[in-house]
């Protein structure tokens, strides 16, 4: 199981996701980085509680590269998209 984050521009949110993933036992996170992202790691360690040190994090420069790696790894791809016209899959 791999968690993939695509273009999460707010770095504090991404580090919070790392902390949550680690707490849930998701140990591999792939990240499609947004363009021109600058990270100050020292300032963010309080957000993540350094959870990223326990995770395997793989960065990709494009979504297509990430999808290709998932296909090559034999992963099934499940996608969510928050959109104004999105429909719930459960009643």
């Amino acid at each position: 199981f791999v968690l993939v984050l695509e273009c999460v521009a707010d770095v504090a949110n991404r580090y919070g996701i790392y902390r949550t993933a680690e707490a849930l036992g998701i140990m591999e996170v792939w990240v499609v980085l947004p363009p021109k992202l600058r990270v100050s790691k020292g300032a963010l360690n309080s957000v993540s509680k350094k959870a990223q040190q326990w995770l395997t994090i793989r960065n990709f420069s494009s979504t297509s590269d990430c999808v290709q790696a998932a296909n090559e790894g034999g992963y099934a791809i499940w996608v969510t998209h928050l959109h104004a016209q999105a429909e719930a899959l459960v009643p």
Side-chain angles (χ1 to χ4, degrees):
F1 184 85
V2 174
L3 174 65
V4 176
L5 307 176
E6 182 184 21
C7 297
V8 177
D10 187 320
V11 179
N13 285 345
R14 191 168 67 235
Y15 275 56
I17 293 167
Y18 293 164
R19 185 182 64 225
T20 302
E22 192 271 334
L24 294 172
I26 300 169
M27 304 313 291
E28 190 166 358
V29 180
W30 292 1
V31 181
V32 179
L33 295 169
K36 299 180 182 178
L37 180 68
R38 293 190 180 135
V39 179
S40 171
K41 290 184 181 181
L44 295 170
N45 282 332
S46 64
V47 173
S48 69
K49 303 297 183 195
K50 298 186 181 181
Q52 69 275 13
Q53 71 183 347
W54 306 111
L55 303 173
T56 300
I57 299 173
R58 183 174 174 187
N59 293 314
F60 295 89
S61 58
S62 72
T63 302
S64 60
D65 289 345
C66 183
V67 169
Q68 181 180 352
N71 287 330
E72 290 171 356
Y75 291 102
I77 299 174
W78 292 49
V79 179
T80 63
H81 177 68
L82 186 57
H83 188 274
Q85 297 171 343
E87 295 180 23
L89 298 176
V90 294

